[in-house]
Amino acid sequence: MPSDGAGDPVGQATQATQATKVDPADPVNSVGQVNHVLEFPGGYTRSVGPVIGRFLTELRDARLVGVRTAGGRVLVPPTEYDPADGAPVTGEYVEVGPAGTVETWSWVPRPRPGHPLTRPFAWALIRLDGADTALLHAVDLGEIDPGCAPPPTLTTGLRVRPKWRAERIGGIGDIECFRPDVTMITDPGRAEYRLRPGRALGRFLDGIAEGRFLGHRCHVCGKVYVPMKGMCPADGVPTTEEVEVADTGTITTYAVNNIPDPRAPEVPFVSAYILLDGADIAMVALVAGIPADQVRMGMRVKAVWRPREEWGPTMQNIRWFAPTGEPDVPFDAIRDYL
Amino acid sequence: MGNPCAVIGVGQTRYRTKRLDVSIAGLVREAALRALEDAGLTFADIDAVVMGKAPDLFEGVMMPEAYLADALGARGKPVMRVHTAGSVGGSTGIVAAGLINGGVHDRVLVVAWEKQSESNATWALTTHPPYNASLVVGAGGYFAPHIRAYIRRSGAPDHIGTLVAVKDRRNALKNPYAHLRIPGISREMVEATPMLWEPIRYLETCPSSDGACAMVLASESAARRAPRPPAWVHGAAMRSEPIFFAGRDTVNPRAGRDCAADLYRQAGITEPRDQLDCAEVYVPFSWYEPMWLENLGFCGEGAGWKLTEAGATALAGDIPWNPSGGVLSSNPIGASGLIRFAEAALQVRGLAGEHQIDGARLALGHAYGGGAQFFAMWIVGSAKP
């Protein structure tokens, strides 16, 4: 096993000497100092012996094995001796994993050049299923911006599995990293509709394009619907009698919204039921031009139109409704519209 | 009402912000298997499955009832899906009860669920079709103006909503399935939370939950063989009304009043506050408790807040509302109505655990949805009607 603590325990063998390079970002580069690099050509060669050799050979074949001690424990990564008492291990190799459990971890928010991953990751002690000891390796938790805190999914007890390199050489770096079990997938969904306003709403929007509010009067109940639907929802009859109503009205009730919405200029914004003068049903619209905490039930308002040259058959023609400054309407006059 | 119908099994999942440990199928099975276990049955004993959930846009699974049929042991059996927006859990229970009342089936499994964490309900409820500029943001954005109108019309003091928010969360501490369990919940805690859609504060709002609820409904002969006490259906009713029409009373909707009147007529109820022992009522925003107290005839118009203020609806009150903690404590939307129905059944079966109302014999389950335009209600009792 590589023992250079500051370095790269899981890098490919060819990368093992990088730890001795001086990090260009290190302050040792400050004026007046000179970098002096010691890099043994080709890297040190190490005889791994029979036990670690077996481990590395199995790694090259994408298998994980441990060695059993005389006491029955399975050591992963294996050693030639039982670290508890110094006794030789048995010759029994046990396949473990490939899944394992994170026993503890340390977060690396900004990986350094010698690190096995370029995006934030965790060093973790991973106890592979069937092993009695833990293996140090990197855990990749997906796309995470540099400097970010660890995701809440990173916990002791997290289940992880190795990501094997396609080309293996018999080194701990044959495992690129460990990754959590798949617990979620994303499922894109998109529906596209072609909409037409229909005859009634189309006529209403034609009116809006001319700066007018049009509605229908029901011939049964006499109520005026703005916008019209071409039918009366209360009487279930078609409506055809067109009426024009004012662009002034009264706020019957409203909500002060503290949840941002792309259609509102700011938070808080007021969405209000506005009973246009001449209509019998209130419509919901934005109220602005007054602080939200000064809006009142019964307040008189008027549509604020965008410049005429911007008008089209759309409610976008109306920026919002703003107070007219007239006295409020008494509650009794609006209570039947709530 | 036709043939008698009884609840012989109830199953619920724990309600959580994210049930990342299970798929949708795993979630509904968890509730269904618990209901079957309660009823001493297996999927093989079930004649038909009735399923309810909120609109498909919530999880983005088209017709999930088709893919869930296998998961609910329904291969070769009738499966149907009910759609009535937020009231769907209640409507689903009533459709299932209808299959028993009509003598079509002996044992019907009814399942309702939502896995809100797979998407965002406020997004799904705020789809902004072109041509309108309605500026309603989510359910709270829709209901806030109507709550404001109630407060103005009834003259209720500001703190009533806070009282309900505290009461239901205290009840939730006694319900192991509840999502929001806030130790030491207090008026100060609620009042310290921000206004989301004034006059609705953060803690006066229901949570977004993942969860499922299931029941086994049975005919009289099947109920007689059930291992645990049944809850008998004494009445069930649904009503709806258009969301916009001139003269609509959005504070005290007529569909709700008519639905309650039909329900009480079936169950022989003339004084709901006196005759019912408890109620599980769909209160997703705290102010809806006093509003529905009036709509459901527990008091006269404008007096609902006085019942709440006097503690009548608390666990120790004369008519406890939402002993389970209600929608304010757990809200897997499509399941929320069925949970109300199931909790009413648990009460009259004497199986409600720590939030059991002693001696409950007659209980109301209630759901509403859309723009307070769909209503579903039932009354269950410990005795066969």
Side-chain angles (χ1 to χ4, degrees):
Chain A
M1 295 282 95
S3 58
D4 42 1
D8 172 18
V10 297
Q12 298 283 350
T14 52
Q15 300 164 353
T17 56
Q18 284 184 356
T20 58
K21 288 181 184 170
V22 174
D23 183 344
D26 195 281
V28 80
N29 276 332
S30 58
V31 182
Q33 291 183 329
V34 175
N35 285 342
H36 176 61
V37 178
L38 284 176
E39 182 169 358
F40 182 60
Y44 295 98
T45 55
R46 302 198 192 286
S47 307
V48 292
V51 177
I52 294 169
R54 173 67 182 267
F55 176 69
L56 296 177
T57 303
E58 298 282 355
L59 274 180
R60 193 174 59 188
D61 291 342
R63 276 193 302 271
L64 287 153
V65 298
V67 69
R68 196 180 296 282
T69 65
R73 285 161 37 92
V74 176
L75 308 179
V76 182
T79 52
E80 290 147 325
Y81 48 86
D82 183 342
D85 57 13
V89 292
T90 68
E92 185 193 351
Y93 292 90
V94 181
E95 186 158 357
V96 296
T101 303
V102 170
E103 293 204 320
T104 187
W105 50 272
S106 175
W107 184 241
V108 182
R110 295 184 190 279
R112 294 169 68 88
H115 277 157
L117 293 165
T118 55
R119 60 192 182 195
F121 70 98
W123 287 121
L125 283 171
I126 297 158
R127 191 157 65 82
L128 297 166
D129 294 351
D132 291 297
T133 60
L135 171 82
L136 178 69
H137 219 295
V139 176
D140 180 13
L141 291 139
E143 203 60 62
I144 293 169
D145 289 336
C148 283
T153 49
L154 176 58
T155 53
T156 295
L158 180 69
R159 296 284 293 164
V160 293
R161 283 167 184 268
K163 178 184 181 187
W164 296 99
R165 286 188 202 278
E167 281 298 319
R168 294 181 297 277
I169 58 168
I172 193 66
D174 287 350
I175 298 172
E176 200 173 327
C177 59
F178 280 75
R179 294 180 292 187
D181 287 357
V182 175
T183 57
M184 190 179 287
I185 57 172
T186 52
D187 183 14
R190 183 172 189 273
E192 188 170 337
Y193 301 87
R194 263 184 237 167
L195 296 179
R196 292 170 202 266
R199 212 182 305 162
L201 190 56
R203 174 67 187 147
F204 171 78
L205 292 171
D206 287 345
I208 291 293
E210 299 165 6
R212 304 156 69 207
F213 279 98
L214 300 179
H216 273 178
R217 189 191 311 277
C218 169
H219 70 269
V220 177
C221 62
K223 303 288 189 191
V224 173
Y225 282 84
V226 182
M228 61 283 220
K229 300 174 186 300
M231 55 95 188
C232 174
D235 295 304
V237 295
T239 56
T240 53
E241 184 193 337
E242 193 169 291
V243 279
E244 182 172 347
V245 300
D247 70 349
T248 54
T250 302
I251 294 175
T252 58
T253 186
Y254 61 96
V256 180
N257 298 273
N258 286 302
I259 295 184
D261 189 277
R263 300 159 302 164
E266 60 191 9
V267 169
F269 68 92
V270 174
S271 53
Y273 282 83
I274 295 166
L275 184 66
L276 293 175
D277 297 335
D280 288 300
I281 187 163
M283 55 185 279
V284 183
L286 181 66
V287 169
I290 179 172
D293 62 0
Q294 290 175 32
V295 175
R296 299 177 297 274
M297 294 169 82
M299 177 177 266
R300 296 283 299 156
V301 291
K302 186 178 195 315
V304 176
W305 297 82
R306 288 185 196 278
R308 180 176 286 269
E309 56 274 20
E310 294 175 21
W311 288 358
T314 162
M315 288 302 281
Q316 304 300 321
N317 297 0
I318 298 153
R319 219 186 279 278
W320 52 63
F321 283 77
T324 62
E326 298 165 84
D328 287 0
V329 168
F331 183 64
D332 276 345
I334 56 170
R335 68 181 305 146
D336 289 342
Y337 297 94
L338 297 172
Chain B
M1 262 185 66
N3 298 334
C5 172
V7 179
I8 60 167
V10 170
Q12 301 184 61
T13 65
R14 289 189 180 236
Y15 307 115
R16 291 287 180 270
T17 306
K18 297 178 183 195
R19 281 294 309 267
L20 299 182
D21 57 319
V22 284
S23 65
I24 290 172
L27 187 75
V28 297
R29 283 176 61 84
E30 194 174 305
L33 289 168
R34 285 178 182 166
L36 289 169
E37 187 187 0
D38 187 18
L41 302 175
T42 69
F43 283 126
D45 301 307
I46 295 298
D47 302 321
V49 177
V50 184
M51 213 180 302
K53 70 166 300 307
D56 292 354
L57 202 54
F58 276 45
E59 286 86 3
V61 179
M62 283 292 286
M63 295 173 64
E65 65 278 13
Y67 118 78
L68 290 172
D70 294 357
L72 292 168
R75 189 167 50 88
K77 295 174 184 176
V79 173
M80 71 179 79
R81 157 98 177 271
V82 179
H83 290 260
T84 56
S87 72
V88 68
S91 311
T92 306
I94 291 176
V95 168
L99 295 171
I100 305 286
N101 296 144
V104 181
H105 298 301
D106 280 320
R107 295 187 188 95
V108 176
L109 176 66
V110 46
V111 184
W113 58 276
E114 210 67 63
K115 204 157 185 302
Q116 289 213 56
S117 68
E118 303 216 342
S119 162
N120 178 319
T122 294
W123 172 81
L125 290 170
T126 316
T127 50
H128 305 318
Y131 312 126
N132 83 30
S134 85
L135 265 178
V136 172
V137 182
Y142 177 81
F143 290 114
H146 307 312
I147 290 171
R148 183 184 300 279
Y150 170 75
I151 294 170
R152 178 68 180 263
R153 236 160 74 165
S154 67
D158 288 347
H159 68 277
I160 299 299
T162 317
L163 296 180
V164 179
V166 172
K167 178 204 63 148
D168 284 5
R169 271 54 170 272
R170 283 207 178 119
N171 293 352
L173 292 169
K174 297 177 182 293
N175 177 1
Y177 295 112
H179 174 178
L180 282 190
R181 295 161 61 84
I182 309 171
I185 180 77
S186 66
R187 277 179 63 177
E188 296 68 33
M189 215 186 272
V190 176
E191 282 161 5
T193 60
M195 287 286 186
L196 296 185
W197 304 275
E198 194 195 314
I200 303 174
R201 286 189 180 82
Y202 177 73
L203 270 183
E204 291 176 306
T205 309
C206 52
S208 286
S209 312
D210 286 358
C213 178
M215 287 196 285
V216 178
L217 303 189
S219 66
E220 183 171 2
S221 62
R224 295 287 177 219
R225 295 196 296 272
R228 304 176 83 185
W232 296 94
V233 179
H234 286 231
M238 289 190 271
R239 289 291 187 282
S240 59
E241 68 182 35
I243 190 167
F244 290 118
F245 63 92
R248 180 175 186 224
D249 189 337
T250 48
V251 173
N252 191 2
R254 177 170 168 187
R257 284 181 275 137
D258 289 355
C259 190
D262 182 10
L263 178 74
Y264 296 154
R265 183 188 51 73
Q266 293 174 39
I269 301 282
T270 51
E271 297 294 336
R273 184 177 170 185
D274 296 338
Q275 290 171 268
L276 294 167
D277 297 304
C278 60
E280 283 281 343
V281 178
Y282 204 105
V283 176
F285 302 100
S286 58
W287 279 98
Y288 268 88
E289 176 174 299
M291 291 166 76
W292 291 150
L293 276 165
E294 297 172 27
N295 190 247
L296 294 170
F298 282 68
C299 59
E301 193 157 356
W305 64 268
K306 294 172 188 163
L307 262 64
T308 295
E309 190 178 45
T313 56
L315 274 189
D318 68 272
I319 179 63
W321 269 37
N322 293 318
S324 70
V327 181
L328 279 173
S329 305
S330 309
N331 187 34
I333 298 178
S336 290
L338 194 67
I339 299 168
R340 307 279 72 70
F341 279 41
E343 284 285 350
L346 287 173
Q347 288 288 349
V348 300
R349 297 172 76 203
L351 299 175
E354 217 187 317
H355 60 282
Q356 175 71 45
I357 305 300
D358 281 343
R361 298 173 53 80
L362 216 49
L364 167 71
H366 164 280
Y368 85 96
Q373 63 190 128
F374 306 118
F375 293 85
M377 307 172 192
W378 81 2
I379 287 173
V380 284
S382 52
K384 190 168 84 75

